[in-house]
Amino acid sequence: MPSYRGKTTEPTVNHSPKSIKKTKYRHVFPTHSQSRMSCLTHGAPTPSFVGFRNLMILVLVFSNLRLMIENFRKYGVLICLSCHDYSRRDVVYGLALYLSIPCQLFIAYLIELVAAQQAKSALARMKRAGEEHNTPEKQAAARRSFKKIWTIVAFFHGANATFNLWICSYFVYYYIHHPGIGTLCELHAVVVWLKACSYAFTNRDLRHALLHPDQSEPLPEIYASYPYPRNISFSNLCYFWWAPTLVYQPAYPRTDRIRWGYVAMRALEVFVLSIAVWIASAQYAAPLLQNSLDKMASLDFVSIVERVMKLSTVSLFCWLCGFFALFQSSLNGLAEIMRFADREFYAEWWNVSSVREYWTSWNKPVTNFMRRHIYSPLVGRGMPPSLAQIVVFFISAVLHELLVGIPTHNILGVAFIGMMFQIPLIVFTDMLKKVKGIRGDVAGNMIFWISFCLVGQPLGALLYFFAWHAKYGSVSKQFPESPALHLIGR
Amino acid sequence: MPSYRGKTTEPTVNHSPKSIKKTKYRHVFPTHSQSRMSCLTHGAPTPSFVGFRNLMILVLVFSNLRLMIENFRKYGVLICLSCHDYSRRDVVYGLALYLSIPCQLFIAYLIELVAAQQAKSALARMKRAGEEHNTPEKQAAARRSFKKIWTIVAFFHGANATFNLWICSYFVYYYIHHPGIGTLCELHAVVVWLKACSYAFTNRDLRHALLHPDQSEPLPEIYASYPYPRNISFSNLCYFWWAPTLVYQPAYPRTDRIRWGYVAMRALEVFVLSIAVWIASAQYAAPLLQNSLDKMASLDFVSIVERVMKLSTVSLFCWLCGFFALFQSSLNGLAEIMRFADREFYAEWWNVSSVREYWTSWNKPVTNFMRRHIYSPLVGRGMPPSLAQIVVFFISAVLHELLVGIPTHNILGVAFIGMMFQIPLIVFTDMLKKVKGIRGDVAGNMIFWISFCLVGQPLGALLYFFAWHAKYGSVSKQFPESPALHLIGR
């Protein structure tokens, strides 16, 4: 009689019609025939909780959809193409800067051309002088001569790069009112500045390797196709100019061909994500920031906390979209066009278990630059690694402050302090990993998300927005006169 | 020179001081030496996204903390011990019902005692008549006699059980105003009613097995210690009365001893979870329900949707806490006291991939009852399984409506319809599993969560709350006169 001898774990209603014989049924089936534990009891085999992951996704979607309804009923549609208040002057200056910034690369190229010429003639001189200068005096003299020339080359490179970064920052700070245009210009300037530095440093060491070859330290094989000084060419420089990297190499791993369909898909992604970020900022972040102005002014602490918490969802959304648009879509698209094969622009930073890992994995181009041209040289020269790390964070903090403070015309130091604050946080999350009893990896990951995405970014945005309003009033025509007052009805 | 030949995947700042020789460093380290894909690119090995799970937890905590701040600033503290408006009469009637409901079990016991007596004398008669009645005529006569007696026994059982359920429902509907006290009484009545039914059905078949033994269908081994009619004893009935099951068996798997520490922990869980549910309802659900009254009255559809969405988080929280308190803490605690060893009170219902699985896994006591005493007998008698399933859902729907409609004094049919609506939903999620291209298990799980927890429960709560208010006004002293109007400021 299968009808009452079936397995008890089988669900009631799953009997297929064929498996049940039409026999007289008796109500004596032993439902409880063995000892079993409830699956949530401590000591039972841990059940899967994958359903709760789905539930979390749904609750997030639902609660944010609800907030969107609430937002719409309160503000209507705030998205408006013609409302943005940027002046003609901003656009003209922005375009001029955008076109002029790459000039420093060409100047760097000219400097390198002269240096390469000089190196070639020095090599020819050395060859003419006959045998290798194997006496210590001659070697020392050659080194002194190289050092003297490098000092001159470095001076010109330094003057060129610094002047360019300074001029861009100056124009953005004093002449470009609109923070968006300013940020684009400043970002471009910093990227080109880093490229120029890498170009100068790398060529210096290639020159050194040419003049003072050392068989025990051969150059990387990948450079063989462009031996110095053949790499000092305009086409080689232009490739580096557009390649999605901040680190100069005479040659890079390349792909065979450009898949234009792939490029089109990446471009579409960038477009869609930009629209999403724009809508999120205009419809959700803007009224929130406006609402918080009077709370900031009156230092109403609980309200500021509440505003930061509400802003955190929008800023997190914008950050994730922006990250994907820049590091996945744009850089992969650019890499495809440039046939640049090494596309590790980021690692799995969302799983990091310490803040330290985050800073070495979210932005590989900058990490690679910092590692090759700042951290490793400092450690190689004898500096303790922890101190070298602090130097890297200091430079990074200055660049962050440049990128945020200059376009918003408020060098508050918040971005700088935010970056420097990472150092004690790294020490803390490193210590946390060693504590027994808590799952250090999960705790570290949560500390990263809280400190960086849920508190750091929205708080920073709030502070710079407040400082901007204190100085200028609104950027948008939609909140013209007393920005904070007419919207705060709640 | 390890300083520039290190692996590129190693994070920059992770060099230990010992691994770096103090040699002259050169800026020619090949950062880009191989082709690599970005880990989010389609075709790359899928990375882990465990960090985003942590992020979701944090965002949920953050956004709900924010809503709690908002709620507090709007309403202050609504939790109030002395505000609940229940009358002395409700408590007296409730207690009287609570104590009188188990009487039907004792009446059922008396009926069984008589039936067992009758069976014993029939057996003795058969023994006296000498050989087994192996002629077909004698067998048929014995069967007819058994059937006749069962008809009488069934009539008394049916009258007893139905009368008790009816009397409880009557008093709850007409004399107990407070819905909480009413629900407790009605739930108790339904549980005891199910137990009495199971007791009658099981003993009928045990009696049948005694009078007409069939060697090919032996009774389950676990029953051997209490052969019929020895199981018809007062102590055996009392054990079934308190055992955490709705299915009668003469004997159950038992544990060796009671761990009182375990019982204390479960009691503590019930206490803490009850407080949590109480706070959630009083502080968060109550004003929400009040707020939605005028929107319900004016059929403002978008607002009702918004209210349901907001209510869904609170109702989900209460549901999960309530589930844990009842099915994990209470039933396990009770099972420990009763030394009841089979504690499969639920399966992993949160992971179900179809609504069908949910209904057979979230409430094992009821599932076991339905399977043993309704579904399997019907299928065993030749009913198609799908029809038997509909019958089970119909009975379940009636019981749900009883449990919700009677205590709220509004037999709206919403709980009934909600349960019956599960049938087309089961058909739909079953079909969904077979569709290629979508992950049927994830989609089915999400449909379950949406239909049941995110829409069904809050919508049902809203409808019964609205009907209650239309009939009586507020249950709480906190929202006395015009409940909807003075709180809806938003």
Side-chain angles (χ1 to χ4, degrees):
Chain A
M1 282 183 82
S3 50
Y4 72 88
R5 271 189 219 142
K7 270 182 275 165
T8 48
T9 49
E10 198 184 342
T12 313
V13 287
N14 237 350
H15 295 286
S16 78
K18 282 162 209 157
S19 72
I20 292 175
K21 283 191 226 151
K22 290 186 185 173
T23 54
K24 186 160 58 63
Y25 174 80
R26 299 195 304 180
H27 299 264
V28 291
F29 167 65
T31 301
H32 305 288
S33 58
Q34 52 180 311
S35 296
R36 284 181 293 196
M37 280 171 104
S38 305
C39 65
L40 291 177
T41 303
H42 187 78
T46 311
S48 155
F49 289 111
V50 71
F52 283 116
R53 185 205 60 189
N54 299 338
L55 176 64
M56 284 202 293
I57 295 171
L58 287 172
V59 169
L60 279 176
V61 169
F62 257 63
S63 47
N64 285 296
L65 273 180
R66 190 191 72 79
L67 289 174
M68 284 161 85
I69 295 177
E70 200 177 274
N71 170 287
F72 176 77
R73 294 168 79 93
K74 222 152 118 193
Y75 303 115
V77 175
L78 294 177
I79 298 150
C80 162
L81 271 175
S82 57
C83 296
H84 233 63
D85 180 22
Y86 51 85
S87 67
R88 219 182 112 83
R89 197 183 68 169
D90 283 4
V91 178
V92 171
Y93 271 102
L95 273 178
L97 278 181
Y98 203 83
L99 294 175
S100 63
I101 287 165
C103 291
Q104 67 167 307
L105 274 181
F106 306 134
I107 297 169
Y109 166 63
L110 292 179
I111 297 169
E112 281 304 319
L113 216 53
V114 173
Q117 211 54 49
Q118 200 280 333
K120 269 191 276 187
S121 59
L123 195 66
R125 248 196 330 274
M126 271 150 63
K127 284 247 171 78
R128 263 204 310 279
E131 300 315 297
E132 288 87 18
H133 34 214
N134 42 14
T135 63
E137 296 81 43
K138 276 187 180 169
Q139 278 185 6
R143 288 230 174 76
R144 268 199 306 279
S145 150
F146 180 84
K147 214 163 195 174
K148 209 176 75 189
I149 290 160
W150 165 240
T151 312
I152 300 165
V153 171
F155 170 79
F156 278 107
H157 273 306
N160 171 39
T162 311
F163 175 75
N164 273 283
L165 191 58
W166 181 82
I167 208 101
C168 176
S169 302
Y170 178 85
F171 272 94
V172 170
Y173 194 83
Y174 288 106
Y175 295 97
I176 297 183
H177 178 74
H178 194 279
I181 299 172
T183 303
L184 278 181
C185 290
E186 192 68 21
L187 183 65
H188 186 208
V190 167
V191 165
V192 173
W193 182 73
L194 291 172
K195 286 197 183 220
C197 291
S198 181
Y199 191 67
F201 283 131
T202 311
N203 279 319
R204 176 221 178 266
D205 280 353
L206 289 172
R207 198 153 56 237
H208 189 271
L210 176 78
L211 294 175
H212 313 284
D214 182 348
Q215 297 310 323
S216 71
E217 296 172 20
L219 284 174
E221 271 176 39
I222 194 170
Y223 297 177
S225 53
Y226 285 95
Y228 189 85
R230 260 181 54 200
N231 68 312
I232 307 296
S233 71
F234 190 70
S235 65
N236 186 286
L237 175 82
C238 282
Y239 185 81
F240 176 53
W241 174 21
W242 284 98
T245 177
L246 299 172
V247 164
Y248 176 68
Q249 292 180 191
Y252 295 97
R254 301 290 288 275
T255 57
D256 297 330
R257 59 184 195 86
I258 304 174
R259 294 165 296 170
W260 287 106
Y262 181 89
V263 176
M265 279 303 296
R266 299 294 83 76
L268 184 70
E269 281 170 8
V270 173
F271 179 74
V272 170
L273 288 167
S274 305
I275 300 279
V277 169
W278 176 51
I279 291 175
S281 347
Q283 184 72 37
Y284 303 102
L288 246 168
L289 287 167
Q290 293 287 343
N291 274 347
S292 54
L293 284 177
D294 60 340
K295 278 134 194 167
M296 294 283 286
S298 61
L299 283 176
D300 176 354
F301 182 70
V302 178
S303 293
I304 295 173
V305 168
E306 192 265 345
R307 291 288 94 178
V308 167
M309 282 171 129
K310 186 155 192 183
L311 196 57
S312 67
T313 313
V314 189
S315 81
L316 185 65
F317 175 81
C318 292
W319 158 249
L320 292 177
C321 287
F323 170 82
F324 197 92
L326 185 57
F327 284 86
Q328 170 65 15
S329 307
S330 303
L331 290 188
N332 267 295
L334 183 60
E336 187 69 28
I337 295 173
M338 300 303 288
R339 294 179 30 237
F340 188 85
D342 182 4
R343 300 185 183 178
E344 204 201 37
F345 302 121
Y346 55 87
E348 297 174 24
W349 57 264
W350 47 88
N351 299 330
V352 295
S353 61
S354 77
V355 179
R356 177 204 296 279
E357 279 175 63
Y358 170 72
W359 288 107
T360 55
S361 59
W362 87 277
N363 185 337
K364 284 279 182 190
V366 167
T367 302
N368 289 336
F369 179 92
M370 292 290 181
R371 181 179 178 215
R372 194 194 204 215
H373 297 304
I374 298 174
Y375 177 83
S376 296
L378 287 179
V379 173
R381 278 181 178 76
M383 187 181 275
S386 52
L387 189 61
Q389 207 172 309
I390 291 173
V391 171
V392 167
F393 266 99
F394 179 81
I395 294 171
S396 184
V398 170
L399 291 179
H400 273 82
E401 186 64 39
L402 270 186
L403 281 173
V404 179
I406 300 270
T408 54
H409 314 289
N410 276 300
I411 313 265
L412 296 184
V414 170
F416 178 82
I417 292 166
M419 274 304 289
M420 293 312 280
F421 176 68
Q422 303 301 315
I423 295 167
L425 210 60
I426 284 175
V427 175
F428 178 70
T429 48
D430 278 359
M431 269 161 45
L432 204 71
K433 271 188 173 176
K434 288 167 199 150
V435 177
K436 276 182 187 169
I438 54 167
R439 286 187 56 193
D441 53 340
V442 175
N445 186 254
M446 290 203 165
I447 287 172
F448 148 67
W449 283 115
I450 293 174
S451 67
F452 185 64
C453 289
L454 297 180
V455 175
Q457 287 191 351
L459 190 64
L462 219 59
L463 289 171
Y464 281 98
F465 187 80
F466 182 72
W468 173 277
H469 265 266
K471 205 164 168 180
Y472 301 105
S474 177
V475 270
S476 165
K477 283 176 189 159
Q478 286 189 302
F479 309 106
E481 285 304 301
S482 59
L485 298 174
H486 79 283
L487 272 170
I488 306 161
R490 303 168 60 173
Chain B
M1 281 179 84
S3 49
Y4 73 88
R5 270 187 219 144
K7 271 182 274 167
T8 48
T9 48
E10 199 184 342
T12 314
V13 285
N14 237 350
H15 294 288
S16 77
K18 283 163 205 155
S19 72
I20 291 172
K21 284 191 225 151
K22 289 183 185 174
T23 54
K24 187 159 58 63
Y25 175 82
R26 299 194 305 183
H27 299 263
V28 290
F29 168 66
T31 301
H32 305 289
S33 57
Q34 50 181 313
S35 296
R36 284 181 292 197
M37 280 172 105
S38 307
C39 63
L40 292 177
T41 302
H42 187 76
T46 311
S48 156
F49 289 112
V50 72
F52 284 116
R53 183 206 61 188
N54 298 338
L55 176 64
M56 284 200 293
I57 295 172
L58 287 173
V59 170
L60 278 176
V61 169
F62 257 63
S63 47
N64 285 297
L65 273 181
R66 189 191 75 77
L67 289 174
M68 284 161 85
I69 295 178
E70 202 176 275
N71 171 286
F72 176 76
R73 294 166 80 93
K74 222 152 117 192
Y75 304 114
V77 175
L78 294 178
I79 298 151
C80 163
L81 271 175
S82 57
C83 297
H84 233 61
D85 182 19
Y86 52 85
S87 68
R88 218 182 113 83
R89 197 182 68 168
D90 284 6
V91 178
V92 170
Y93 271 102
L95 273 177
L97 278 179
Y98 202 83
L99 293 175
S100 63
I101 287 165
C103 290
Q104 68 166 306
L105 274 181
F106 306 134
I107 298 170
Y109 165 63
L110 292 178
I111 298 169
E112 281 304 318
L113 216 53
V114 173
Q117 210 55 49
Q118 200 279 336
K120 267 190 278 185
S121 58
L123 195 66
R125 251 196 328 276
M126 274 153 60
K127 285 248 171 76
R128 265 200 309 277
E131 298 317 297
E132 287 85 19
H133 36 214
N134 40 14
T135 63
E137 297 80 41
K138 276 189 180 166
Q139 279 186 6
R143 286 229 176 77
R144 267 198 307 279
S145 150
F146 180 85
K147 216 164 194 173
K148 207 176 77 187
I149 290 160
W150 166 240
T151 313
I152 300 165
V153 170
F155 171 78
F156 279 106
H157 273 306
N160 172 40
T162 312
F163 175 74
N164 274 281
L165 191 57
W166 180 82
I167 207 98
C168 177
S169 303
Y170 178 84
F171 274 93
V172 169
Y173 194 83
Y174 288 106
Y175 295 96
I176 298 184
H177 177 74
H178 193 278
I181 298 172
T183 304
L184 278 181
C185 290
E186 192 67 21
L187 183 65
H188 187 207
V190 168
V191 166
V192 173
W193 182 73
L194 291 173
K195 285 196 184 221
C197 292
S198 181
Y199 192 66
F201 284 132
T202 310
N203 279 318
R204 177 221 178 267
D205 280 354
L206 288 173
R207 200 155 51 238
H208 190 269
L210 177 76
L211 295 175
H212 314 282
D214 182 348
Q215 297 311 323
S216 71
E217 295 174 22
L219 284 173
E221 270 175 39
I222 194 169
Y223 298 177
S225 52
Y226 284 95
Y228 189 87
R230 259 181 55 201
N231 68 313
I232 307 296
S233 71
F234 190 70
S235 65
N236 186 286
L237 174 82
C238 283
Y239 185 81
F240 175 53
W241 174 20
W242 283 99
T245 179
L246 299 173
V247 164
Y248 176 69
Q249 292 182 192
Y252 295 97
R254 302 287 290 273
T255 56
D256 297 328
R257 58 185 194 85
I258 305 174
R259 293 167 295 170
W260 286 106
Y262 181 89
V263 175
M265 279 305 295
R266 300 292 83 75
L268 184 69
E269 281 171 8
V270 173
F271 178 75
V272 170
L273 288 167
S274 306
I275 299 278
V277 169
W278 176 50
I279 292 177
S281 346
Q283 183 73 39
Y284 303 103
L288 246 168
L289 287 166
Q290 293 287 344
N291 275 347
S292 53
L293 285 176
D294 61 339
K295 278 133 194 168
M296 294 282 286
S298 61
L299 284 177
D300 175 354
F301 182 69
V302 178
S303 291
I304 294 174
V305 168
E306 193 264 345
R307 292 288 94 178
V308 166
M309 283 171 129
K310 186 154 190 182
L311 196 56
S312 67
T313 312
V314 190
S315 80
L316 185 64
F317 176 82
C318 291
W319 158 250
L320 292 178
C321 287
F323 170 82
F324 197 92
L326 186 56
F327 284 85
Q328 171 65 14
S329 307
S330 302
L331 290 188
N332 267 295
L334 182 60
E336 186 69 28
I337 294 173
M338 300 303 290
R339 294 181 28 237
F340 189 86
D342 184 3
R343 303 188 180 173
E344 207 202 36
F345 303 120
Y346 54 88
E348 298 174 24
W349 56 265
W350 46 89
N351 299 330
V352 296
S353 62
S354 79
V355 179
R356 176 203 296 279
E357 279 175 64
Y358 170 73
W359 288 107
T360 54
S361 59
W362 86 276
N363 185 340
K364 283 279 178 188
V366 169
T367 302
N368 288 335
F369 180 91
M370 293 290 180
R371 182 180 176 213
R372 196 195 202 215
H373 297 302
I374 298 173
Y375 178 83
S376 296
L378 289 178
V379 173
R381 279 179 177 76
M383 187 180 276
S386 52
L387 189 61
Q389 208 171 310
I390 290 172
V391 172
V392 167
F393 266 100
F394 179 81
I395 294 171
S396 183
V398 170
L399 290 180
H400 273 82
E401 186 65 39
L402 269 188
L403 281 174
V404 179
I406 300 272
T408 56
H409 315 286
N410 277 299
I411 313 267
L412 296 183
V414 170
F416 179 83
I417 293 166
M419 272 305 289
M420 294 312 281
F421 176 68
Q422 302 302 313
I423 295 166
L425 209 60
I426 284 176
V427 175
F428 178 70
T429 48
D430 279 358
M431 270 161 46
L432 204 71
K433 271 188 173 175
K434 288 168 198 149
V435 177
K436 275 182 188 170
I438 54 166
R439 285 186 56 190
D441 52 342
V442 175
N445 187 253
M446 290 201 166
I447 286 170
F448 148 66
W449 284 115
I450 293 173
S451 67
F452 185 64
C453 289
L454 297 179
V455 175
Q457 288 192 348
L459 190 63
L462 220 58
L463 289 171
Y464 281 97
F465 187 81
F466 182 71
W468 173 279
H469 264 268
K471 206 165 168 181
Y472 301 104
S474 178
V475 268
S476 166
K477 285 177 188 157
Q478 287 190 305
F479 310 108
E481 287 304 301
S482 58
L485 297 174
H486 78 285
L487 272 171
I488 307 160
R490 301 171 57 175

